[in-house]
Structure formats: C-alpha cells, structure tokens
Amino acid sequence: MTAVNDKPARLIGGPGILLVWLYGVMVVGAVSRSAYQIATEFDRAPLAYSLSAVAGVVYGFITYSLVRGGERARRAALACCAAELAGVLIVGTWTLVDPSAFPDATVWSKYGMGYVFIPVLLPLSALYWLRKAQQRN
C-alpha cells in the first residue's frame, strides 16, 4: 500500500510503453470503426458493431489502467485483459463455427485476423507483463 504522497508503481516502463502504444492504437481503431458502423449501417450487423464498440471500451480502460499505475490499476488491468482474452477466444471461435451470425467482422472475428492477430496477442502479452509487474513490486 502506498502513502498519500507516494507515486503509484509504474506499469509502463520498458515493454509496458509498447503495450500502452498498441492498446492506444486499438482504442482508436475499434472505437472509430464501430462508431462509424453503428452510425451508418447498424441494422446490417448490430452484434458485430456492438462487440467492436465493447472491445474499444475495454481497450480504453486497459490503456488508462496501464498509464495510471499502482497495484489497484494493475489488478484492474489484469482482470480486464483476462476478460478481453476470453472475449477474443469466444467471439473468434463463434465467427468460425457460425459465420452467418456475423455478416460483418468484429475486431475479435477469427481471433483478430483483420487486425493481424493483435487482438489475441495483445492480452496474452499484457497478462504476462502485468504478472511480471506484480513480482517486481
């Protein structure tokens, strides 16, 4: 536990900076794409566009938690990354098993294939980094 005047433990040193940058890019990509699709063609694929919006919000929360730092933020980011990974695996599998459920792709479709598999690799990397950060503190 930190005192009132102590700064929270940093989570973005070294490779953590790359995680923040990648999550920031994913926030912009997922939120802007889903906002446009929801505004212009929501009736075409409401589930896909809604899931992309949720992914953008999750990415934003993880980015914020990494930048904020501290043990509470690390635990919150860890839980969010685990939920993100579960979402990627569930939606990725769902898009392969029942492609008709998704007339248009989500960020997590086919495990993030449209995003060079970053959506499945990013939470794995973040979970590893956040576990290592716990050991350092």
Side-chain angles (χ1 to χ4, degrees), residues 89-100 102 109-111 113:
L89 295 175
I90 291 166
V91 172
T93 303
W94 189 1
T95 58
L96 293 174
V97 171
D98 185 14
S100 65
F102 295 89
S109 290
K110 298 178 184 170
Y111 310 108
M113 188 169 79

Side-chain angles (χ1 to χ4, degrees), residues 32-44:
S32 60
R33 175 184 176 180
S34 64
Y36 173 79
Q37 290 172 322
I38 288 170
T40 61
E41 52 194 13
F42 186 71
D43 56 330
R44 179 175 162 197

Side-chain angles (χ1 to χ4, degrees), residues 15-35:
I17 293 170
L18 179 60
L19 282 175
V20 168
W21 185 84
L22 287 170
Y23 269 113
V25 168
M26 293 303 291
V27 168
V28 172
V31 169
S32 60
R33 175 184 176 180
S34 64

